[in-house]
Amino acid sequence: MVIAHLLGFALIFIACTFDFMPLVLMPEKIQYVLDIPLLIIVILPTIYEAISVHGWKSYGNSWKALLGNVKNIDKSQLEPTRLCLRDLGNLSLIWGILGTFVGAILMLREMESVLRQGSLFPAVAISLITLFYGIIFYMLCLVSKSRIERQLVE
């Protein structure tokens, strides 16, 4: 499972850094989608809310599932772990959307200076990165939740 996640991230990296006109890979373009403060805006509140609702045990088991180790989760903990993964995914998506709204609001409040500086498109891109992070984390949680649901059926 970890290999599948790494392969997925490698494909995202290639898609983000590939220049389609000359068909060249440009790794320096990764800076456009890698923004640690915006990643923290999405991930930290998501983790805090999941721990406060589900507790440390289910949260820890959800990371086991995210890293591909579903077999080592106790049978009695599968359902709480599934619920925690569901909430982690949904919360990350919600925080990504909220980050996009906050970025758009801040950009629109300063629209005059943004237009004067000619930086409208980079500002829009920055406001969308939180949504990108929320969707990526949602997809990871969705895959792990599906694996746990399959384990529950067996």
Side-chain angles (χ1 to χ4, degrees):
M1 190 65 185
V2 173
I3 294 171
H5 289 321
L6 290 176
L7 182 62
F9 283 121
L11 289 173
I12 291 170
F13 173 79
I14 290 170
C16 291
T17 60
F18 193 75
D19 192 352
F20 290 94
M21 291 306 285
L23 298 177
V24 176
L25 193 64
M26 301 176 74
E28 63 273 5
K29 285 188 173 185
I30 197 67
Q31 68 184 351
Y32 299 137
V33 293
L34 186 61
D35 192 335
I36 301 301
L38 294 179
L39 182 64
I40 290 171
I41 286 172
V42 174
I43 298 299
L44 282 184
T46 300
I47 290 171
Y48 170 75
E49 290 175 3
I51 291 171
S52 65
V53 170
H54 296 284
W56 284 100
K57 186 161 183 87
S58 295
Y59 175 73
N61 286 336
S62 67
W63 277 102
K64 285 182 189 176
L66 280 169
L67 297 175
N69 203 357
V70 177
K71 301 275 189 222
N72 290 345
I73 299 174
D74 187 45
K75 213 53 159 157
S76 65
Q77 289 297 314
L78 286 175
E79 183 61 22
T81 303
R82 183 190 72 80
L83 294 174
C84 185
L85 280 168
R86 180 201 64 193
D87 289 348
L88 275 171
N90 290 339
L91 287 167
S92 69
L93 195 56
I94 289 168
W95 278 103
I97 292 168
L98 285 173
T100 300
F101 282 150
V102 168
I105 289 167
L106 293 174
M107 181 182 54
L108 290 172
R109 289 191 70 195
E110 301 295 325
M111 187 56 81
E112 267 184 48
S113 66
V114 167
L115 290 175
R116 200 170 335 119
Q117 294 172 357
S119 60
L120 176 64
F121 295 122
V124 171
I126 288 173
S127 74
L128 290 174
I129 289 175
T130 56
L131 184 58
F132 174 73
Y133 292 149
I135 291 170
I136 295 293
F137 197 67
Y138 178 79
M139 290 185 332
L140 291 173
C141 291
L142 186 66
V143 168
S144 298
K145 184 179 74 122
S146 297
R147 292 181 69 233
I148 288 188
E149 287 171 348
R150 248 191 344 258
Q151 190 78 12
L152 279 169
V153 171
E154 294 175 359

